[in-house]
Amino acid sequence: MSARIYPPEPGEIAPNYWVDPRFTYKNLERIFEEDRICGLFKNASDREGISINVLGVEPSGLRFKVMPLADGSHPAIIGTRILVTYVDSGKVQFSLNNIRLATDSSYTSDLPQKIAIVQRRKNFRTPGPGNFDRDFKLLIYFAQGKEMIAQIVDMSEDGLQLDLRADATDMSIGTIWTGCSFERLKNRSEPFDLVIRNTRLSQESSRIRIGCQLLDPTPRNRIEFESTRNGIHTARVQRRLKFWFQNVSWCS
C-alpha cells in the first residue's frame, strides 16, 4: 500500500507562515529527527507527486530515498521539486534545489532557503507563551475594582484553556465571565465574554484547568483572538517567542 502524501498549497503562501530564514536549519532538524515520508511534486500545480523517505538533514543538504511506484519501479528525479509533509503544527512545504543521485541510490539536495508551516484548521490550538512572557495576562473581572489574572495554557480562535488556583472563584461548568481582556505592556484588547465549558485537574493539586469558549464575540474579538493565536504560533515556530510582545498592536 502506498504512503499518503499531500499536494502543495495552491497560490501564494501568506507571509506569516514563512519561518525566519535564520532558523531554517534548526527547524529542519526538528522536523526530520526521524525518517519521514513526504510528497515530492514537480510544481505547485502538481497533484500526483511521488513518495520519498527523508533520511536526515546534514550541513551539506537534505538526504532522502524515493519510494517505489505501484508497479515496483523507482522514478528518477533531478533538478528542482517541492517537498510537502505534515507535522503537528501544520503542513510543511519548501523547495528542494539541485537534486542529485548519491552512490547508495539515495538522493541529496541543497538545503532550502526558506520553509513554510501552514496552519488552516479553525480549531487549531497553540500553547500560551509561558515563562517567556510573564506580562501576557488574561484579566477576568468580577465587579468594580475586582479582577483575577489567569495563566493561559493554550488558545484557539474560539477559546482558551486556563490554569487557575482551585479556590479562586466559582468555576462550575456554564459559569459566564464578562468583560475579560488580554493585557500586554499596558495595552488591552477589546473586552470579551467567556463561558466555562469543561474543568479538569491541573498538574498541581491546588490548581485547576478550565476550558472556556468565547460567548457572543464581536468581529473585533474574533480578529484579536485569531491574530493572538497566530502571532504566538508563528513566534514559536520561528524561535522568536521572547520577542513576540514587541509586535502586539491592541488598541489601548
Side-chain angles (χ1 to χ4, degrees):
M1 184 173 67
S2 60
R4 184 178 181 182
I5 57 175
Y6 303 88
E9 283 292 291
E12 188 174 351
I13 296 176
N16 61 299
Y17 291 131
W18 290 104
V19 174
D20 189 323
R22 293 175 298 171
F23 308 112
T24 295
Y25 188 79
K26 288 186 178 294
N27 276 279
L28 287 172
E29 283 188 313
R30 176 176 55 83
I31 293 167
F32 297 111
E33 286 177 336
E34 301 177 356
D35 292 357
R36 181 179 289 278
I37 305 300
C38 307
L40 207 62
F41 300 84
K42 295 178 181 178
N43 51 53
S45 301
D46 184 5
R47 289 296 177 264
E48 297 298 328
I50 60 173
S51 300
I52 65 170
N53 184 8
V54 174
L55 304 177
V57 179
E58 302 168 354
S60 58
L62 203 70
R63 188 165 57 90
F64 62 92
K65 281 195 172 183
V66 174
M67 301 181 68
L69 301 177
D71 60 5
S73 63
H74 289 75
I77 53 173
I78 57 173
T80 299
R81 294 289 190 277
I82 296 175
L83 182 148
V84 180
T85 190
Y86 260 89
V87 295
D88 290 342
S89 53
K91 178 192 282 189
V92 177
Q93 178 174 321
F94 54 84
S95 293
L96 287 183
N97 298 311
N98 192 24
I99 297 173
R100 56 228 183 245
L101 184 64
T103 55
D104 61 352
S105 298
S106 67
Y107 286 84
T108 59
S109 72
D110 294 346
L111 290 175
Q113 305 246 329
K114 59 179 183 177
I115 63 176
I117 302 180
V118 181
Q119 176 53 251
R120 285 192 315 216
R121 287 177 294 163
K122 179 177 176 59
N123 294 322
F124 167 64
R125 288 182 174 270
T126 191
N131 291 334
F132 277 118
D133 190 9
R134 296 181 184 276
D135 293 328
F136 179 49
K137 303 169 184 175
L138 173 69
L139 301 179
I140 302 171
Y141 294 90
F142 298 107
Q144 186 66 34
K146 293 185 177 181
E147 63 186 38
M148 178 172 64
I149 298 174
Q151 178 183 352
I152 298 173
V153 178
D154 58 43
M155 68 177 298
S156 69
E157 64 184 68
D158 191 46
L160 300 158
Q161 182 182 181
L162 307 174
D163 188 276
L164 294 161
R165 200 175 71 249
D167 59 353
T169 186
D170 177 24
M171 290 179 276
S172 55
I173 294 174
T175 298
I176 295 174
W177 290 331
T178 61
C180 305
S181 64
F182 297 123
E183 183 176 279
R184 290 288 308 114
L185 302 177
K186 299 182 180 181
N187 287 336
R188 291 186 178 181
S189 66
E190 180 175 278
F192 50 84
D193 298 341
L194 296 172
V195 57
I196 297 177
R197 294 300 189 193
N198 58 74
T199 64
R200 64 183 179 87
L201 295 177
S202 182
Q203 296 176 347
E204 300 178 28
S205 59
S206 62
R207 302 185 69 80
I208 190 170
R209 293 285 175 92
I210 304 294
C212 299
Q213 185 178 14
L214 270 173
L215 183 65
D216 298 326
T218 67
R220 179 62 180 269
N221 292 155
R222 291 205 175 278
I223 289 171
E224 291 183 335
F225 260 69
E226 182 177 5
S227 64
T228 302
R229 187 276 312 271
N230 290 347
I232 295 172
H233 171 68
T234 301
R236 179 173 282 108
V237 168
Q238 296 185 352
R239 300 178 185 268
R240 290 180 55 84
L241 194 55
K242 65 177 65 177
F243 304 111
W244 166 73
F245 69 92
Q246 296 177 356
N247 296 318
V248 173
S249 58
W250 299 322
C251 296
S252 300

